[in-house]
């Protein structure tokens, strides 16, 4: 099963993708994670995208399509979860072609709906474990008082450089201008399902499971 999790920054795509990885042996393909990895390891591409990402703008279609193309050629396990990709209509067309080349298809596109106020609250309070990627929130799920990640025990707490109010405004603008048209695109293609992304993690997870059937 190959699925897209579609939603604005802070909708919980990464968190839900991680549970699907654990429970369905799927592979999470997060272009944001791939780009951050490239940035942290100082590759040429990482240097090129660092400023763009910090400003909250989208990196070029060519770069992210190249990253996804590489991953689709690897092991497929229980299928792919596209998290943060596609973000433009050109990326959506490219994904259809890439899957086709691999003899694969898209089984579902799950829209995660969250209101904008909640997004701002979530993102400005967000931290993640640098080791395992577990997501924390200062208000609803704070980093443990003993300083160690509750999932893996690491003390590597991280805040994303672009999780600040200015970048977030830009990221939201990019979402509404360039990514939200994908909802209409996938509705017309068939396979779009919507879930309420605002509830508890377990409730959202149950809604996604239901949407996937
Ligand atoms: P994310 O972790 O998905 O919120 O992505 C963080 C940042 O990486 C975004 O604000 C963009 O600058 C960049 N990015 C991630 N995925 C894409 C994509 N599919 N297309 C363009 N830029 C992307």
């Amino acid at each position: 099963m190959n699925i897209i999790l579609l939603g604005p920054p802070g909708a919980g795509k990464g968190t839900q993708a991680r549970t699907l990885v654990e429970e369905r042996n799927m592979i999470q393909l997060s272009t944001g994670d791939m780009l951050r990895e490239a940035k942290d390891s100082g590759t040429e591409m990482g240097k090129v995208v660092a400023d763009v990402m910090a400003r909250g703008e989208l990196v070029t279609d060519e770069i992210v399509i190249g990253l996804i193309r590489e991953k689709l050629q690897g092991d497929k396990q229980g299928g792919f979860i596209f998290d943060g990709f596609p973000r433009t209509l050109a990326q959506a067309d490219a994904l259809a072609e890439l899957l086709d080349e691999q003899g694969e298809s898209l089984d579902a596109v799950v829209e995660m709906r969250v209101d904008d106020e909640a997004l701002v609250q979530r993102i400005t309070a967000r931290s993640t474990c640098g080791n395992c990627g577990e997501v924390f929130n200062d208000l609803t799920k704070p980093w443990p008082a003993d300083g160690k990640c509750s999932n893996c025990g690491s003390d590597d707490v991280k805040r994303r450089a672009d999780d600040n109010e200015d970048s977030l405004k830009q990221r939201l603008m990019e979402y509404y201008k360039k990514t939200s048209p994908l909802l209409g695109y996938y509705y017309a293609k068939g396979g779009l399902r919507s879930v309420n992304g605002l509830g508890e993690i377990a409730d959202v997870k149950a809604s996604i499971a239901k949407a996937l059937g």
Side-chain angles (χ1 to χ4, degrees):
M1 182 172 228
N2 300 310
I3 66 169
I4 294 174
L5 294 181
L6 190 59
K13 302 184 294 292
T15 301
Q16 293 300 329
R18 285 160 49 75
T19 65
L20 290 165
V21 167
E22 276 170 27
E23 292 178 7
R24 300 187 186 219
N25 192 32
M26 295 176 80
I27 298 175
Q28 176 186 10
L29 295 183
S30 157
T31 39
D33 285 349
M34 294 174 209
L35 292 166
R36 275 184 291 279
E37 221 168 85
K39 197 183 76 176
D40 292 346
S41 54
T43 63
E44 275 314 304
M45 189 259 281
K47 286 180 204 155
V48 171
V49 300
D51 287 344
V52 178
M53 290 175 75
R55 284 197 300 271
E57 293 167 10
L58 293 188
V59 309
T60 64
D61 289 335
E62 198 189 351
I63 288 178
V64 288
I65 291 167
L67 289 170
I68 290 288
R69 177 182 290 118
E70 233 174 76
K71 301 283 179 184
L72 290 189
Q73 284 156 5
D75 191 358
K76 297 182 176 57
Q77 296 181 29
F80 297 110
I81 308 158
F82 298 96
D83 159 14
F85 180 93
R87 263 175 154 100
T88 64
L89 289 165
Q91 291 177 25
D93 282 337
L95 177 61
E97 270 176 39
L98 289 173
L99 285 171
D100 201 40
E101 279 168 20
Q102 297 291 320
E104 296 280 323
S105 57
L106 202 54
D107 298 285
V109 178
V110 181
E111 176 199 9
M112 298 181 65
R113 274 181 287 105
V114 192
D115 74 52
D116 294 332
E117 286 291 315
L119 294 178
V120 175
Q121 188 276 331
R122 273 189 186 180
I123 287 199
T124 48
R126 173 162 76 175
S127 60
T128 51
C129 172
N131 182 49
C132 73
E134 186 79 359
V135 181
F136 296 86
N137 180 291
D138 297 341
L139 305 172
T140 56
K141 183 185 166 191
W143 182 263
D146 67 0
K148 294 197 164 48
C149 170
S150 50
N151 187 49
C152 74
S154 163
D155 59 6
D156 185 16
V157 58
K158 281 212 158 94
R159 280 191 197 268
R160 281 174 46 169
D162 59 351
D163 274 353
N164 60 72
E165 244 174 291
D166 282 346
S167 296
L168 176 58
K169 269 189 202 144
Q170 185 61 34
R171 285 156 72 198
L172 272 178
M173 192 61 84
E174 294 282 56
Y175 177 78
Y176 286 115
K177 276 162 71 174
K178 298 175 184 164
T179 309
S180 65
L182 295 184
L183 293 169
Y185 172 98
Y186 284 118
Y187 176 77
K189 270 195 140 187
L192 180 71
R193 296 124 206 233
S194 281
V195 300
N196 177 4
L198 256 190
E200 295 289 320
I201 291 173
D203 296 337
V204 179
K205 180 177 135 185
S207 305
I208 292 177
K210 200 168 156 211
L212 295 179

